Amino acid sequence: MTHEVSMDWTIFVILPVVFQPSLSVLFTVEAERNMYESQFGGDVVMGCRFQPKSSDPSADLKVTWHWIKPESDREVYQMNNGAERSASPEYQGRVRLLTEELREGWAKLKLSRLRINDSGTYQCLVETAEGADYKTIALSVVAPYTAVTKRLERTAEGDGVLLTCQSEGYPKSSVVWQDENLQRLRANTTSEPTPDQRYKVTSQMRVSSSDRDRYTCNFTNDGRSATFRLPEEIPVPQKKNNALIVILSIGVVVAVVSVAVLMYLRRKKGVQIDKDNEEERTIPNEDAMEENLRVFLKKHYSQFFGEDVGRSWGAFGLEELPHKLQNNEGQAVKLEALLPEAGETLFLEGPPGSGKTTVAHILISSWTEGSTSPLGLSSLRLLLHVDCSAVERDLFQEVATQLSLTEKTSMEDELRTAFTRSSEALLLLDGYREGNHVFDVSLQRFLRDRGGCRVLVTACPGHCPTLREAFGTGGVLKLQAQTV
Ligand SMILES: *[C@@H]1O[C@H](CO)[C@@H](O)[C@H](O)[C@H]1NC(C)=O
Ligand SMILES: *[C@@H]1O[C@H](CO)[C@@H](O)[C@H](O)[C@H]1NC(C)=O
Ligand SMILES: *[C@@H]1O[C@H](CO)[C@@H](O)[C@H](O)[C@H]1NC(C)=O
């Protein structure tokens, strides 16, 4: 009798304990992918899915992302019951949890402006009242090699010529040299780390100035290459006679300008020119190149925007603009403020219909007409306009399309070179909105590498938070919707 009673009692107490684990579902975390590969300067979103979902992410959920390899363990991000913990300085401003997806059972971490040393193994740990679990994910950040810079110089002694190719990227690339007959040649390739942890790879080869051949250097990682044509590209030897130097230089400049003008004219007529499918930058003749671009762009924009601008000036003229333009504190600013300082990025924000595109067109027409309007554009040598309303490719590919450059590679590269080099150049991005990955990454890369180029971005408020945070050095101007 007593025995039976105690049995009943044990069943009562023990049963729930034994069956408890199988009543609740096992809590698990799964990685969306085990491995991500992303580009230097770009973004990555790494995802972990947890089950069961948390009923209230703001009260019963802790998500922690760690970077655990190759060096010491460090915390990248933590969110505990809705409270975010700011990460180590390494990640400040570059890391975000996509909190809107927590409710769906996703702990997704977005890492922006990727650096080479963001590579490694990450761990996502999710804890709820139901349990805790984690998974690891590998991230590899690569940097595509930049356009090859080539240099050709006579050696100090003998009749040798030294050919140099240089480019930057990650990981380290080997460089293969070939002659016209595709014979491989021996070269001296060295690499040094850049401050942003990519590699600057330099490859040199010595040939004789009496050679008649075509030499190609090829950065094998991305197939970036450049070609030297000998003897045509060998620089004219230095002469002692000053008068002769002057005459020769004038001759060379005239010849270069005429050749360049001829090439543009031929290209415009659609004559097929045999071009290699390669991208290269040549150092000499930059001034002639810049002047050609200037002529080309002015002509293009005066044809393209001529009538359009005439109309918009009527609707919303220069007189009205000063009343609509304000700085971030709401104070009126002068029209000159629209021109960013050298090397600066300025944002012009305004709601739809406030006249951002009209301002862009007024800037273009003042530049093409060379007018001495109060905009202060007279010192500007180059202006490049990008209509960002429907971009889908790389920045300079978009430029090439919008300028109707059929013969893409060479002029696209000239533009890239000129706009990276000149502090009297303005890149005008009209109606920019973040969201096209390829364009965004290429734009960020350009903004990082451009030297003195001035950049004006027009956008609706809130359309380019990442860009503003990363590059908004020149400040923000606002356009009011209503005229005062
Ligand atoms: C290779 O190039 C580097 C850098 O230009 C130079 O220091 C080195 O002496 C060269 N080595 C050879 C074998 O030419
Ligand atoms: C990672 O690289 C950046 C520069 O790209 C540097 O500022 C930072 O200190 C590096 N971090 C580590 C842990 O080496
Ligand atoms: C450069 O090398 C890559 C890889 O070896 C190859 O695919 C590409 O065709 C080469 N490009 C040129 C211009 O030789």
Side-chain angles (χ1 to χ4, degrees):
M1 187 66 188
T2 29
H3 192 76
E4 274 187 335
V5 166
S6 85
M7 259 298 268
D8 281 343
W9 178 84
T10 355
I11 286 172
F12 240 93
V13 174
I14 290 177
L15 263 185
V17 176
V18 169
F19 287 106
Q20 185 70 35
S22 66
L23 288 177
S24 79
V25 188
L26 198 61
F27 184 81
T28 56
V29 169
E30 294 304 328
E32 185 180 34
R33 277 155 62 180
N34 296 324
M35 161 91 211
Y36 291 83
E37 185 177 294
S38 284
Q39 287 196 358
F40 174 75
D43 309 333
V44 66
V45 175
M46 297 186 283
C48 275
R49 185 170 190 81
F50 54 94
Q51 266 169 332
K53 297 171 196 167
S54 162
S55 50
D56 181 4
S58 65
D60 167 34
L61 180 65
K62 182 167 163 187
V63 175
T64 315
W65 281 83
H66 276 98
W67 183 78
I68 56 173
K69 273 179 202 163
E71 276 161 48
S72 58
D73 185 321
R74 66 180 183 233
E75 187 177 299
V76 177
Y77 177 90
Q78 187 181 79
M79 201 210 67
N80 191 356
N81 295 341
E84 298 185 87
R85 182 148 86 201
S86 63
S88 62
E90 288 283 305
Y91 296 101
Q92 214 107 70
R94 299 196 297 133
V95 63
R96 185 164 86 81
L97 189 71
L98 304 187
T99 46
E100 61 278 13
E101 303 218 25
L102 288 174
R103 213 164 267 287
E104 308 304 320
W106 280 106
K108 289 189 180 173
L109 187 79
K110 179 171 180 182
L111 197 50
S112 311
R113 279 170 278 138
L114 286 169
R115 301 169 176 172
I116 300 294
N117 62 8
D118 287 332
S119 299
T121 306
Y122 288 75
Q123 180 194 68
C124 61
L125 167 66
V126 184
E127 298 162 86
T128 70
E130 314 271 351
D133 192 16
Y134 68 86
K135 279 291 172 300
T136 56
I137 293 177
L139 172 66
S140 154
V141 180
V142 297
Y145 273 77
T146 54
V148 176
T149 302
K150 67 175 193 179
R151 194 166 64 232
L152 193 140
E153 60 204 334
R154 286 178 174 273
T155 53
E157 76 292 336
D159 70 339
V161 175
L162 187 62
L163 310 181
T164 307
C165 285
Q166 195 169 70
S167 177
E168 287 179 10
Y170 185 91
K172 225 178 253 186
S173 175
S174 55
V175 182
V176 171
W177 288 79
Q178 290 180 322
D179 65 11
E180 217 158 14
N181 304 317
L182 306 183
Q183 290 296 309
R184 284 211 182 192
L185 307 161
R186 285 169 61 98
N188 174 9
T189 303
T190 56
S191 61
E192 54 179 301
T194 63
D196 57 22
Q197 289 153 349
R198 292 181 294 165
Y199 287 107
K200 179 191 273 186
V201 176
T202 307
S203 188
Q204 297 191 311
M205 197 185 63
R206 199 179 288 266
V207 295
S208 158
S209 63
S210 54
D211 275 2
R212 315 191 131 266
D213 212 329
R214 249 171 62 163
Y215 296 103
T216 303
C217 65
N218 184 352
F219 287 71
T220 53
N221 277 27
D222 298 310
R224 289 280 198 173
S225 64
T227 297
F228 299 86
R229 290 167 191 81
L230 264 57
E232 297 90 315
E233 294 184 29
I234 298 178
V236 181
Q238 290 280 314
K239 287 273 163 35
K240 296 277 170 351
N241 188 327
N242 280 336
L244 200 54
I245 290 176
V246 171
I247 292 169
L248 272 177
S249 328
I250 294 173
V252 168
V253 168
V254 167
V256 165
V257 170
S258 338
V259 167
V261 166
L262 267 177
M263 280 183 62
Y264 281 135
L265 289 178
R266 285 180 68 184
R267 197 173 299 156
K268 268 203 97 76
K269 285 185 193 142
V271 176
Q272 207 52 39
I273 297 171
D274 179 31
K275 271 265 165 209
D276 289 319
N277 186 19
E278 62 186 34
E279 296 178 62
E280 57 185 51
R281 281 193 243 170
T282 315
I283 294 165
N285 310 331
E286 279 182 337
D287 292 335
M289 181 188 85
E290 190 179 293
E291 185 53 32
N292 278 307
L293 286 175
R294 177 178 161 86
V295 170
F296 172 82
L297 289 170
K298 280 208 169 186
K299 183 151 182 243
H300 179 86
Y301 288 138
S302 52
Q303 280 169 357
F304 204 78
F305 290 106
E307 289 171 29
D308 191 22
V309 170
R311 256 184 280 129
S312 38
W313 278 61
F316 161 165
L318 261 181
E319 316 81 59
E320 209 174 315
L321 190 51
H323 304 295
K324 301 182 77 174
L325 199 61
Q326 300 182 339
N327 66 13
N328 223 354
E329 276 86 51
Q331 293 150 341
V333 292
K334 292 189 182 155
L335 289 180
E336 288 96 315
L338 277 171
L339 183 64
E341 297 292 319
E344 302 263 77
T345 304
L346 175 68
F347 289 84
L348 175 65
E349 294 195 335
S354 57
K356 298 184 293 295
T357 298
T358 309
V359 171
H361 289 187
I362 290 177
L363 286 171
I364 295 168
S365 79
S366 324
W367 181 66
T368 54
E369 288 162 13
S371 76
T372 50
S373 69
L375 292 164
L377 301 185
S378 45
S379 62
L380 215 52
R381 302 234 353 118
L382 297 172
L383 185 149
L384 193 55
H385 167 261
V386 185
D387 174 2
C388 299
S389 56
V391 291
E392 44 193 25
R393 277 166 302 168
D394 169 283
L395 172 63
F396 280 92
Q397 286 169 350
E398 282 295 338
V399 166
T401 311
Q402 294 186 12
L403 291 174
S404 326
L405 300 180
T406 43
E407 197 113 18
K408 212 159 55 93
T409 44
S410 83
M411 190 141 171
E412 196 182 314
D413 278 342
E414 287 173 12
L415 282 165
R416 197 189 298 268
T417 308
F419 275 80
T420 311
R421 188 176 78 98
S422 173
S423 60
E424 294 314 331
L426 174 67
L427 176 67
L428 177 50
L429 296 162
D430 190 21
Y432 178 61
R433 176 171 201 166
E434 283 167 14
N436 182 285
H437 184 71
V438 178
F439 187 82
D440 293 352
V441 168
S442 67
L443 175 59
Q444 288 169 18
R445 185 175 318 139
F446 171 79
L447 292 177
R448 208 173 313 104
D449 293 346
R450 56 100 188 247
C453 179
R454 300 155 191 256
V455 179
L456 177 63
V457 182
T458 79
C460 290
H463 276 186
C464 43
T466 315
L467 201 70
R468 256 189 69 172
E469 183 185 312
F471 298 101
T473 50
V476 181
L477 295 179
K478 302 210 181 283
L479 261 187
Q480 280 188 308
Q482 299 292 312
T483 310
V484 187

